[in-house]
Amino acid sequence: MKLTKIAYTGLFVTVLLTGCTKEETKIEEVKPEESKIEKVKPEETKVNNAKLWKDVSTPEGFNDYGIEPTLEAWIAYHAKDITKTTDVNEYYPKADRLTSEMKYFRVQGDDLQKDFENLNVLQIWMGHLEYVLSRPDTPDSDRPRFNNDLKQTFKYFTELLHDLDIIINYDGKGETFGLTRQLDGNKVKELESYLYGNGNPYQNNAY
């Protein structure tokens, strides 16, 4: 009788150990799946963060125009002021004054930072066109083309500045010209093709 009990006891322990081993194996088999899910999350976060932006302005020392030294007031002032410009000789000086103040007013964020970079490149391209037009050796036959290019560049600059004002001061709500990546504008490709596909020597300039 005792031998029988011992035999049954041994069999029972063996079954329990086998069951535990199988359970441990099942748990271990799930772990790779959990790791795989965790690896996807950083990519999803990276994509979603393209629209996130923050104001990293350092306006200490800025005291022009009698406005509050904030990103919001600065962009609003220039967006309104530049629409008053009708003299072609004022195109570049107006744009240059704004972009020179970017050392005080800056943003951080993938899409919006690229939009400000495009604004800066438009200003640089205007400077190049003005230089070409000022040269006495520029053929008269080419001057109308360069003048038209200057006007088109200033138009893009004014419209892009308007769209940036809508983003910064109106949370992106309002009519735009569709020139910003931040708002997935329908004319971004047109603008960047104009800037970076026409032989612009400053196309790699960084904001």
Side-chain angles (χ1 to χ4, degrees):
M1 178 67 75
K2 287 182 179 179
L3 289 173
T4 305
K5 285 182 178 178
I6 291 170
Y8 278 122
T9 302
L11 180 62
F12 182 68
V13 170
T14 303
V15 170
L16 280 177
L17 289 173
T18 304
C20 289
T21 304
K22 287 181 178 178
E23 288 300 319
E24 289 172 359
T25 304
K26 288 179 181 178
I27 292 170
E28 290 174 357
E29 289 173 353
V30 174
K31 288 180 180 178
E33 291 299 320
E34 293 174 348
S35 299
K36 190 182 293 183
I37 292 171
E38 290 175 358
K39 289 177 182 177
V40 176
K41 288 180 180 177
E43 290 299 320
E44 293 174 348
T45 302
K46 186 177 179 182
V47 171
N48 292 337
N49 280 346
K51 300 297 179 189
L52 296 179
W53 68 277
K54 64 179 180 178
D55 181 358
V56 291
S57 301
T58 52
E60 292 80 9
F62 177 83
N63 57 5
D64 291 343
Y65 320 120
I67 62 172
E68 186 180 356
T70 63
L71 175 68
E72 292 83 359
W74 173 74
I75 204 80
Y77 172 85
H78 282 293
K80 183 178 180 180
D81 180 66
I82 207 161
T83 58
K84 303 172 185 176
T85 308
T86 56
D87 184 355
V88 69
N89 294 317
E90 284 295 310
Y91 287 176
Y92 176 71
K94 288 271 189 179
D96 181 59
R97 183 173 63 171
L98 185 154
T99 55
S100 69
E101 293 164 4
M102 286 182 182
K103 63 184 178 183
Y104 298 109
F105 303 102
R106 299 178 67 85
V107 298
Q108 192 175 78
D110 291 348
D111 282 356
L112 191 56
Q113 194 166 336
K114 179 60 180 175
D115 291 332
F116 271 95
E117 181 183 329
N118 286 342
L119 192 72
N120 194 38
V121 176
L122 281 166
Q123 174 266 331
I124 293 171
W125 188 237
M126 271 189 268
H128 172 73
L129 291 168
E130 281 220 340
Y131 169 73
V132 172
L133 287 167
S134 69
R135 289 177 60 92
D137 59 343
T138 298
D140 288 341
S141 58
D142 290 337
R143 289 184 180 277
R145 176 169 59 88
F146 288 129
N147 266 309
N148 289 336
D149 203 7
L150 179 60
K151 290 177 182 178
Q152 179 61 57
T153 305
F154 185 74
K155 183 173 183 290
Y156 276 135
F157 188 94
T158 303
E159 291 175 352
L160 177 54
L161 184 56
H162 166 85
D163 288 4
L164 290 170
D165 183 39
I166 292 294
I167 292 166
I168 291 169
N169 282 302
Y170 302 96
D171 197 26
K173 297 176 177 64
E175 290 188 21
T176 69
F177 292 97
L179 293 175
T180 65
R181 289 183 175 216
Q182 183 68 21
L183 297 179
D184 297 319
N186 60 1
K187 288 189 176 181
V188 173
K189 287 185 178 179
E190 175 188 315
L191 171 65
E192 294 187 351
S193 176
Y194 174 79
L195 280 177
Y196 307 121
N198 65 352
N200 184 340
Y202 302 102
Q203 59 182 285
N204 294 318
N205 183 77
Y207 163 52

PDB file of all heavy atoms in Angstrom, residues 12-27:
ATOM      1  N   PHE A  12       2.022  12.370  -9.422  1.00  0.00           N
ATOM      2  CA  PHE A  12       1.342  13.639  -9.244  1.00  0.00           C
ATOM      3  C   PHE A  12       2.323  14.817  -9.299  1.00  0.00           C
ATOM      4  O   PHE A  12       2.083  15.829  -9.947  1.00  0.00           O
ATOM      5  CB  PHE A  12       0.621  13.630  -7.895  1.00  0.00           C
ATOM      6  CG  PHE A  12      -0.161  14.883  -7.636  1.00  0.00           C
ATOM      7  CD1 PHE A  12      -1.289  15.209  -8.367  1.00  0.00           C
ATOM      8  CD2 PHE A  12       0.255  15.784  -6.650  1.00  0.00           C
ATOM      9  CE1 PHE A  12      -1.985  16.364  -8.129  1.00  0.00           C
ATOM     10  CE2 PHE A  12      -0.456  16.941  -6.414  1.00  0.00           C
ATOM     11  CZ  PHE A  12      -1.581  17.241  -7.145  1.00  0.00           C
ATOM     12  N   VAL A  13       3.466  14.667  -8.647  1.00  0.00           N
ATOM     13  CA  VAL A  13       4.493  15.714  -8.665  1.00  0.00           C
ATOM     14  C   VAL A  13       5.026  15.922 -10.067  1.00  0.00           C
ATOM     15  O   VAL A  13       5.252  17.042 -10.523  1.00  0.00           O
ATOM     16  CB  VAL A  13       5.642  15.350  -7.693  1.00  0.00           C
ATOM     17  CG1 VAL A  13       6.824  16.299  -7.880  1.00  0.00           C
ATOM     18  CG2 VAL A  13       5.151  15.397  -6.257  1.00  0.00           C
ATOM     19  N   THR A  14       5.228  14.799 -10.786  1.00  0.00           N
ATOM     20  CA  THR A  14       5.726  14.887 -12.159  1.00  0.00           C
ATOM     21  C   THR A  14       4.761  15.672 -13.047  1.00  0.00           C
ATOM     22  O   THR A  14       5.152  16.522 -13.857  1.00  0.00           O
ATOM     23  CB  THR A  14       5.938  13.485 -12.748  1.00  0.00           C
ATOM     24  OG1 THR A  14       6.828  12.777 -11.901  1.00  0.00           O
ATOM     25  CG2 THR A  14       6.492  13.553 -14.164  1.00  0.00           C
ATOM     26  N   VAL A  15       3.451  15.396 -12.890  1.00  0.00           N
ATOM     27  CA  VAL A  15       2.431  16.109 -13.692  1.00  0.00           C
ATOM     28  C   VAL A  15       2.437  17.598 -13.373  1.00  0.00           C
ATOM     29  O   VAL A  15       2.374  18.444 -14.251  1.00  0.00           O
ATOM     30  CB  VAL A  15       1.031  15.499 -13.424  1.00  0.00           C
ATOM     31  CG1 VAL A  15      -0.047  16.377 -14.052  1.00  0.00           C
ATOM     32  CG2 VAL A  15       0.960  14.100 -13.969  1.00  0.00           C
ATOM     33  N   LEU A  16       2.543  17.917 -12.074  1.00  0.00           N
ATOM     34  CA  LEU A  16       2.576  19.332 -11.678  1.00  0.00           C
ATOM     35  C   LEU A  16       3.771  20.061 -12.259  1.00  0.00           C
ATOM     36  O   LEU A  16       3.668  21.167 -12.786  1.00  0.00           O
ATOM     37  CB  LEU A  16       2.616  19.439 -10.146  1.00  0.00           C
ATOM     38  CG  LEU A  16       1.281  19.268  -9.417  1.00  0.00           C
ATOM     39  CD1 LEU A  16       1.514  19.322  -7.918  1.00  0.00           C
ATOM     40  CD2 LEU A  16       0.290  20.318  -9.829  1.00  0.00           C
ATOM     41  N   LEU A  17       4.938  19.416 -12.174  1.00  0.00           N
ATOM     42  CA  LEU A  17       6.155  20.049 -12.711  1.00  0.00           C
ATOM     43  C   LEU A  17       6.056  20.238 -14.205  1.00  0.00           C
ATOM     44  O   LEU A  17       6.477  21.252 -14.761  1.00  0.00           O
ATOM     45  CB  LEU A  17       7.382  19.190 -12.374  1.00  0.00           C
ATOM     46  CG  LEU A  17       7.790  19.182 -10.890  1.00  0.00           C
ATOM     47  CD1 LEU A  17       8.902  18.163 -10.648  1.00  0.00           C
ATOM     48  CD2 LEU A  17       8.259  20.568 -10.464  1.00  0.00           C
ATOM     49  N   THR A  18       5.496  19.252 -14.887  1.00  0.00           N
ATOM     50  CA  THR A  18       5.332  19.348 -16.351  1.00  0.00           C
ATOM     51  C   THR A  18       4.413  20.510 -16.704  1.00  0.00           C
ATOM     52  O   THR A  18       4.656  21.288 -17.611  1.00  0.00           O
ATOM     53  CB  THR A  18       4.761  18.041 -16.922  1.00  0.00           C
ATOM     54  OG1 THR A  18       5.620  16.981 -16.544  1.00  0.00           O
ATOM     55  CG2 THR A  18       4.666  18.102 -18.441  1.00  0.00           C
ATOM     56  N   GLY A  19       3.307  20.626 -15.930  1.00  0.00           N
ATOM     57  CA  GLY A  19       2.357  21.716 -16.181  1.00  0.00           C
ATOM     58  C   GLY A  19       2.973  23.065 -15.968  1.00  0.00           C
ATOM     59  O   GLY A  19       2.780  23.989 -16.743  1.00  0.00           O
ATOM     60  N   CYS A  20       3.760  23.197 -14.888  1.00  0.00           N
ATOM     61  CA  CYS A  20       4.417  24.479 -14.610  1.00  0.00           C
ATOM     62  C   CYS A  20       5.399  24.840 -15.701  1.00  0.00           C
ATOM     63  O   CYS A  20       5.510  25.983 -16.109  1.00  0.00           O
ATOM     64  CB  CYS A  20       5.165  24.398 -13.270  1.00  0.00           C
ATOM     65  SG  CYS A  20       4.033  24.337 -11.851  1.00  0.00           S
ATOM     66  N   THR A  21       6.115  23.821 -16.186  1.00  0.00           N
ATOM     67  CA  THR A  21       7.093  24.064 -17.255  1.00  0.00           C
ATOM     68  C   THR A  21       6.404  24.574 -18.505  1.00  0.00           C
ATOM     69  O   THR A  21       6.850  25.487 -19.180  1.00  0.00           O
ATOM     70  CB  THR A  21       7.871  22.777 -17.580  1.00  0.00           C
ATOM     71  OG1 THR A  21       8.477  22.306 -16.389  1.00  0.00           O
ATOM     72  CG2 THR A  21       8.946  23.036 -18.632  1.00  0.00           C
ATOM     73  N   LYS A  22       5.237  23.981 -18.810  1.00  0.00           N
ATOM     74  CA  LYS A  22       4.491  24.420 -20.006  1.00  0.00           C
ATOM     75  C   LYS A  22       3.995  25.858 -19.843  1.00  0.00           C
ATOM     76  O   LYS A  22       4.009  26.653 -20.770  1.00  0.00           O
ATOM     77  CB  LYS A  22       3.304  23.491 -20.262  1.00  0.00           C
ATOM     78  CG  LYS A  22       3.735  22.135 -20.800  1.00  0.00           C
ATOM     79  CD  LYS A  22       2.531  21.262 -21.060  1.00  0.00           C
ATOM     80  CE  LYS A  22       2.942  19.900 -21.641  1.00  0.00           C
ATOM     81  NZ  LYS A  22       1.791  19.023 -21.858  1.00  0.00           N
ATOM     82  N   GLU A  23       3.518  26.194 -18.614  1.00  0.00           N
ATOM     83  CA  GLU A  23       3.040  27.551 -18.377  1.00  0.00           C
ATOM     84  C   GLU A  23       4.156  28.566 -18.531  1.00  0.00           C
ATOM     85  O   GLU A  23       3.997  29.629 -19.101  1.00  0.00           O
ATOM     86  CB  GLU A  23       2.440  27.662 -16.961  1.00  0.00           C
ATOM     87  CG  GLU A  23       1.112  26.959 -16.798  1.00  0.00           C
ATOM     88  CD  GLU A  23       0.060  27.503 -17.740  1.00  0.00           C
ATOM     89  OE1 GLU A  23       0.017  28.734 -17.906  1.00  0.00           O
ATOM     90  OE2 GLU A  23      -0.696  26.726 -18.325  1.00  0.00           O
ATOM     91  N   GLU A  24       5.362  28.235 -17.989  1.00  0.00           N
ATOM     92  CA  GLU A  24       6.505  29.122 -18.105  1.00  0.00           C
ATOM     93  C   GLU A  24       6.885  29.324 -19.566  1.00  0.00           C
ATOM     94  O   GLU A  24       7.223  30.409 -20.004  1.00  0.00           O
ATOM     95  CB  GLU A  24       7.699  28.551 -17.330  1.00  0.00           C
ATOM     96  CG  GLU A  24       7.509  28.626 -15.827  1.00  0.00           C
ATOM     97  CD  GLU A  24       8.620  27.889 -15.081  1.00  0.00           C
ATOM     98  OE1 GLU A  24       9.492  27.327 -15.752  1.00  0.00           O
ATOM     99  OE2 GLU A  24       8.591  27.907 -13.845  1.00  0.00           O
ATOM    100  N   THR A  25       6.800  28.241 -20.333  1.00  0.00           N
ATOM    101  CA  THR A  25       7.123  28.320 -21.769  1.00  0.00           C
ATOM    102  C   THR A  25       6.158  29.252 -22.480  1.00  0.00           C
ATOM    103  O   THR A  25       6.529  30.069 -23.300  1.00  0.00           O
ATOM    104  CB  THR A  25       7.062  26.919 -22.403  1.00  0.00           C
ATOM    105  OG1 THR A  25       7.936  26.072 -21.698  1.00  0.00           O
ATOM    106  CG2 THR A  25       7.469  26.984 -23.874  1.00  0.00           C
ATOM    107  N   LYS A  26       4.840  29.150 -22.115  1.00  0.00           N
ATOM    108  CA  LYS A  26       3.846  30.023 -22.742  1.00  0.00           C
ATOM    109  C   LYS A  26       4.120  31.487 -22.437  1.00  0.00           C
ATOM    110  O   LYS A  26       4.013  32.345 -23.283  1.00  0.00           O
ATOM    111  CB  LYS A  26       2.443  29.657 -22.255  1.00  0.00           C
ATOM    112  CG  LYS A  26       1.923  28.330 -22.813  1.00  0.00           C
ATOM    113  CD  LYS A  26       0.547  28.027 -22.264  1.00  0.00           C
ATOM    114  CE  LYS A  26       0.024  26.684 -22.791  1.00  0.00           C
ATOM    115  NZ  LYS A  26      -1.292  26.353 -22.218  1.00  0.00           N
ATOM    116  N   ILE A  27       4.460  31.765 -21.178  1.00  0.00           N
ATOM    117  CA  ILE A  27       4.749  33.151 -20.784  1.00  0.00           C
ATOM    118  C   ILE A  27       5.955  33.695 -21.524  1.00  0.00           C
ATOM    119  O   ILE A  27       5.963  34.799 -22.023  1.00  0.00           O
ATOM    120  CB  ILE A  27       4.987  33.229 -19.258  1.00  0.00           C
ATOM    121  CG1 ILE A  27       3.672  32.941 -18.524  1.00  0.00           C
ATOM    122  CG2 ILE A  27       5.509  34.606 -18.860  1.00  0.00           C
ATOM    123  CD1 ILE A  27       3.829  32.755 -17.040  1.00  0.00           C
TER     124      ILE A  27
END
